[in-house]
Amino acid sequence: MDNQLTDKELNALVSLLDDTDQEIKAHVRGKIISLGNDVIPFLENKWESSFNPEVQKEIEELVHELQINLLRKRLLNWKNSEEQELLEGLWIINTYLYPELEFEQLNAVMQQIYFNVWTNFKNEFSVYDKIKLINNVLFNDLKFSANTKNFHSPGNSMIRTVLETKKGNPISLCSVYLLVARKLGLPVYGVNLPNLFVLTYQAGKFKFYINAFNKGLIFTRQDINNYLEHLKLEPKPSYFEPCENIDIIRRTLRNLIFAFDKIGEVDKAEEIKSLLEIIDKD
């Protein structure tokens, strides 16, 4: 925290949050925001000890604004990083609803899932047997499944919720699958289909698709053609070829905007749009 401000000075600042003079209030808010995230524990303590609902509301908004600023900074750093690591990107989005969640906690859960697959994995397995093994562990042993009941829930785009409930939407289930497959060294990638996110295995003569939303069902290029025909859409190369991690993050954010809009959380949808702008900006 900014050492120039003592607890006494911070207390004085916070006590001005319910000032009727809007100019003073705006100045106080700006000053507190400029202190950055280190001031959050202090604000949370003030919230707990305050009996003024007006001040409590102001503190909640300040803490949220500080957390969103941090999220934006992390997302921009992630976008500018060379590797654009998928789990890290998903974790950053996750901190929108779970700001306290550490990356290490998520990583530990993913490591355990990977370990469950790896202990049964053999390099001499045929390509299809390797995929069948991942399917078996994820969808039979660990019971990951499609969240068809609450398909548009924001939780489906939150990796922490998906790992806890074992339910997700196409892109979150594909993300879990992809993280495991890539750690095993398999050439598995995401594919951005309209209304559906799938995976593809591509190496040498092997090129097929995997639907993680349907327990890892294996299908072909022709099946995608049929699917597009059904939707009355023209085939595009991007509907068949691997996408980048940034495309997965972009689509996750779009899902989240749609989910918040659907449940009437318009403010949240707008905030997520501002995150999408960071990703879309050249």
Side-chain angles (χ1 to χ4, degrees):
M1 193 153 41
D2 194 323
N3 294 327
Q4 294 165 337
L5 285 191
T6 61
D7 275 8
K8 196 178 170 188
E9 288 168 316
L10 274 169
N11 277 318
L13 266 181
V14 171
S15 68
L16 290 170
L17 281 172
D18 66 340
D19 200 290
T20 48
D21 186 327
Q22 290 306 311
E23 212 171 302
I24 289 177
K25 210 179 196 172
H27 175 74
V28 169
R29 282 182 64 94
K31 182 70 186 161
I32 293 173
I33 291 290
S34 74
L35 297 172
N37 276 56
D38 289 345
V39 80
I40 288 179
F42 176 87
L43 290 173
E44 287 174 337
N45 284 336
K46 290 307 289 177
W47 186 92
E48 281 170 20
S49 60
S50 171
F51 294 102
N52 183 335
E54 181 65 27
V55 169
Q56 284 186 321
K57 188 170 171 289
E58 288 287 341
I59 289 173
E60 283 166 23
E61 285 174 9
L62 278 169
V63 169
H64 182 65
E65 196 173 328
L66 285 162
Q67 287 166 339
I68 277 280
N69 288 346
L70 178 63
L71 200 166
R72 288 191 182 110
K73 207 184 329 179
R74 280 173 172 162
L75 194 60
L76 185 61
N77 289 343
W78 179 87
K79 184 193 171 182
N80 294 332
S81 70
E82 212 171 309
E83 54 286 346
Q84 291 184 343
E85 211 271 315
L86 180 58
L87 186 61
E88 190 190 347
L90 293 169
W91 163 70
I92 293 167
I93 293 174
N94 200 97
T95 61
Y96 179 71
L97 286 185
Y98 305 104
E100 306 298 317
L101 185 76
E102 298 289 339
F103 174 76
E104 285 66 32
Q105 292 168 264
L106 263 191
N107 200 30
V109 179
M110 276 310 307
Q111 287 282 28
Q112 188 54 54
I113 293 170
Y114 162 73
F115 186 74
N116 287 349
V117 179
W118 178 78
T119 47
N120 296 292
F121 190 81
K122 291 188 173 60
N123 278 324
E124 58 270 20
F125 279 176
S126 74
V127 166
Y128 290 105
D129 281 343
K130 286 174 183 174
I131 295 303
K132 274 182 194 155
L133 170 67
I134 299 176
N135 288 351
N136 192 39
V137 174
L138 288 186
F139 305 115
N140 293 338
D141 298 352
L142 298 176
K143 304 278 190 287
F144 275 94
S145 66
N147 193 348
T148 46
K149 213 172 174 181
N150 296 310
F151 185 78
H152 295 299
S153 161
N156 286 331
S157 298
M158 292 285 151
I159 188 81
R160 169 194 167 162
T161 309
V162 174
L163 293 175
E164 274 179 10
T165 63
K166 303 287 200 304
K167 289 191 180 305
N169 58 20
I171 196 159
S172 59
L173 292 174
C174 278
S175 296
V176 173
Y177 199 114
L178 186 60
L179 287 163
V180 171
R182 295 308 289 272
K183 208 166 162 51
L184 289 165
L186 300 179
V188 172
Y189 312 89
V191 178
N192 241 330
L193 275 176
N195 304 339
L196 184 64
F197 194 89
V198 295
L199 299 167
T200 182
Y201 184 106
Q202 295 197 9
K205 62 180 179 164
F206 291 102
K207 184 170 180 179
F208 56 88
Y209 299 87
I210 304 158
N211 185 352
F213 197 63
N214 189 359
K215 297 183 184 294
L217 180 81
I218 290 172
F219 61 104
T220 65
R221 190 184 177 95
Q222 187 50 49
D223 292 318
I224 293 183
N225 278 321
N226 298 344
Y227 173 75
L228 294 170
E229 212 172 286
H230 176 70
L231 291 177
K232 297 184 171 48
L233 290 172
E234 284 297 310
K236 283 187 196 169
S238 63
Y239 297 158
F240 301 93
E241 294 306 320
C243 68
E244 305 288 335
N245 285 346
I246 197 163
D247 299 313
I248 297 178
I249 295 303
R250 182 180 286 113
R251 187 147 175 177
T252 301
L253 288 169
R254 284 195 181 132
N255 279 355
L256 211 40
I257 293 166
F258 186 80
F260 282 131
D261 269 337
K262 194 120 177 113
I263 58 172
E265 298 261 18
V266 185
D267 291 351
K268 287 191 168 84
E270 285 304 315
E271 282 182 325
I272 301 295
K273 278 178 194 166
S274 77
L275 301 179
L276 186 57
E277 279 167 20
I278 293 172
I279 293 294
D280 285 343
K281 220 171 188 175
D282 287 333

